[in-house]
Each structure stands twice: as C-alpha cells, then as structure tokens.
Amino acid sequence: MRKFLLGAILLSMTGLASAVTVEDLTSTSSWMPATDSVPSCDIPATITFKKNGKLNSEPGCNSLFGDYVIGDNDKLEFVNMGMTRKLCAKQYMDLEASFTDLLNKPKFAKKDGKYLILFDADKKEIGRLEPERSGSCS
C-alpha cells in the first residue's frame, strides 16, 4: 500500500509532463517563449524544429541554425550551432541575447500540455516555450 501511495504522489507531482519526442517538437510550425515569462513579445523570438534533426531560430536580429538530438531520459541537446552576425537595434539585440542564453542552457526537455519545458543539467526548469501565435502575445 505504501508503494502505491508513493507512486501516486510522484505521479501527481510530475503532472502530465512526458518525455519529448520529435513529433512534439515538430507538431507546431515554431515555438516562442511562454508569454507569461517575457515582458514584451511584440515580435517574439522563435525556434523551429525539423523532423530531420535540424533547427532554425529567429532569436531577435540574426538567424540561428543547427541540429538537435533527443536522447534517453528526456535528454535534449542543441549541437553544431551557428549564427549570423548582424547588428540591429538594441531591443532586438537584447531579445536575441536573452533567447540565445536560454537555448545555451537546456540539457533536458519535457512536453506538458502546450508547453515545451526546458531543464538545465541539474534538471532545474529554466524556461518554457509555447507554440508561436502570430500577432498576439497577450
């Protein structure tokens, strides 16, 4: 009985979150930071995952590109990353710095409802992405 209760408690703590799959990442045309976690998102930073393991991002000013790898135990890694080097207005550069900083940290990911939750190496949540909503960030 104790094992059952412990299992039920652990299950309720994890909610509906599940290991991320290629289908989860590619189920939406692009992802943006969750609107409740950014002060302004008139032009949100976005990331797009392709089924072939490639990714593209418009983090603010430049274009970001590379590969992603999904591993065991919720592992998600971004590899072979590159970015153009244009200079833009401060607001776009600040947006880009914030978003690329977020993308440099994840080691794990889970899907929870509409959210893609990113975790660092210690499995501490570092950010949430949601499907991009054109023209509406409220």
Side-chain angles (χ1 to χ4, degrees):
M1 181 70 164
R2 286 184 185 182
K3 287 182 182 179
F4 174 76
L5 287 176
L6 181 59
I9 290 168
L10 290 174
L11 183 60
S12 68
M13 289 173 58
T14 59
L16 299 175
S18 61
V20 70
T21 65
V22 171
E23 289 74 26
D24 291 330
L25 297 177
T26 61
S27 66
T28 184
S29 59
S30 60
W31 297 86
M32 62 185 243
T35 54
D36 58 356
S37 66
V38 292
S40 172
C41 61
D42 293 334
I43 302 173
T46 61
I47 187 168
T48 303
F49 297 95
K50 306 292 183 186
K51 288 186 181 195
N52 64 358
K54 302 286 184 193
L55 66 84
N56 295 342
S57 177
E58 297 295 329
C61 174
N62 289 283
S63 295
L64 182 72
F65 47 88
D67 302 317
Y68 68 92
V69 177
I70 298 174
D72 293 335
N73 301 320
D74 306 324
K75 195 98 164 138
L76 176 66
E77 294 181 278
F78 300 136
V79 296
N80 304 322
M81 301 297 286
M83 188 162 79
T84 60
R85 293 287 179 196
K86 297 185 291 186
L87 184 61
C88 297
K90 183 179 180 344
Q91 72 186 56
Y92 299 109
M93 297 302 291
D94 290 348
L95 175 67
E96 181 173 287
S98 174
F99 195 63
T100 56
D101 184 50
L102 173 66
L103 296 181
N104 281 326
K105 295 177 182 174
K107 299 295 180 195
F108 302 94
K110 288 191 181 234
K111 182 80 168 27
D112 188 2
K114 73 175 184 175
Y115 295 106
L116 177 63
I117 307 171
L118 304 175
F119 299 90
D120 66 12
D122 296 324
K123 293 198 174 182
K124 177 184 168 206
E125 183 177 328
I126 56 171
R128 290 177 179 238
L129 303 177
E130 67 180 336
E132 180 183 11
R133 293 179 289 136
S134 299
S136 174
C137 293
S138 58

